[in-house]
Amino acid sequence: LGELLRLPAEALEFGYRKSRLQTEPWIVAGIEMELQPSEAERVLALMAHNQYLRELKQPLAFPSTGSVFKRPPGKYVGPMVEGLGLKGYRIGGAMVSEKHAGFIVNAGNARASDVLRLIQHIRELVRSKYDVWLETEVRILGDDALPGELASYSELGQVAPA
C-alpha cells in the first residue's frame, strides 16, 4: 500500500519534542540504533534516578495522556493551569492531574470526548487569564468519539480560534 523508506536520523530532523515524524504521514515499522557500551552499575543507577524523577513529578498511578500541551516560549503550562485552580478539575472521567497540572488523567471511564472537552476548557481559561494559546503536544486522531459540537476540534493542536 505504500513505500518502505530507510532514513538516517539526520533526515528526520530531530529537535526538542519535534521531528519530521510529526508532520509526515509515515508509520514507523522499525528502528536501528547504535548504542555505546557502559558499565552495568552506571546504567542501572541512571535508570533508577530517571525512574525516581518520573515518579516524583508525573501522575504514574493513573492512565494518562502524558504531557498534554507544548511549552509556550518563556512559560510553563503546569503552573498556569494550577494558577487557575484546575488541579483535580473533571469533565466526565477526564481529570487534570492533582500531581502535575500539565497532565490529564483517566480518573474513571474517561471518553475521548471528555479529554477533548477538558483540553478545550483549559485552553480557553489559560487564554483568558494569561493571553497564551496552548498548542497540544498530544496528537488527536479520528473524530468518532467527538460530540457534534466538538467536531471542529479534531485539529486542536494546529488552529487557535479567532
Side-chain angles (χ1 to χ4, degrees):
L1 291 171
E3 179 182 354
L4 184 61
L5 302 173
R6 287 185 67 95
L7 300 171
E10 301 79 40
L12 298 176
E13 301 171 9
F14 287 110
Y16 179 69
R17 295 186 176 185
K18 69 175 186 165
S19 75
R20 283 185 65 195
L21 296 172
Q22 295 169 308
T23 59
E24 299 287 348
W26 298 336
I27 296 173
V28 177
I31 64 167
E32 184 178 308
M33 296 189 301
E34 184 177 324
L35 303 175
Q36 301 300 317
S38 187
E39 294 179 22
E41 279 185 23
R42 185 171 185 266
V43 171
L44 291 172
L46 183 59
M47 288 171 55
H49 177 71
N50 288 338
Q51 182 63 27
Y52 167 77
L53 292 178
R54 285 185 70 226
E55 290 170 0
L56 186 67
K57 298 176 182 181
Q58 297 179 12
L60 302 180
F62 292 93
S64 81
T65 59
S67 179
V68 179
F69 302 106
K70 294 178 183 177
R71 187 175 148 220
K75 305 221 182 270
Y76 291 94
V77 174
M80 286 192 293
V81 175
E82 188 172 347
L84 293 164
L86 292 178
K87 275 189 169 181
Y89 183 84
R90 290 176 71 142
I91 292 182
M95 180 178 80
V96 175
S97 170
E98 293 177 337
K99 191 168 199 176
H100 187 308
F103 285 69
I104 293 176
V105 299
N106 184 346
N109 299 314
R111 300 176 51 83
S113 58
D114 298 337
V115 174
L116 292 171
R117 287 176 30 225
L118 185 53
I119 287 171
Q120 191 60 19
H121 181 70
I122 294 166
R123 290 173 119 181
E124 289 169 358
L125 292 178
V126 166
R127 187 175 194 185
S128 176
K129 181 169 183 175
Y130 300 103
D131 196 30
V132 172
W133 180 253
L134 296 176
E135 289 186 59
T136 56
E137 186 164 359
V138 294
R139 294 195 59 198
I140 299 160
L141 305 174
D143 289 335
D144 293 341
L146 299 173
E149 71 268 19
L150 292 180
S152 65
Y153 295 166
S154 61
E155 295 183 32
L156 279 173
Q158 289 75 34
V159 180

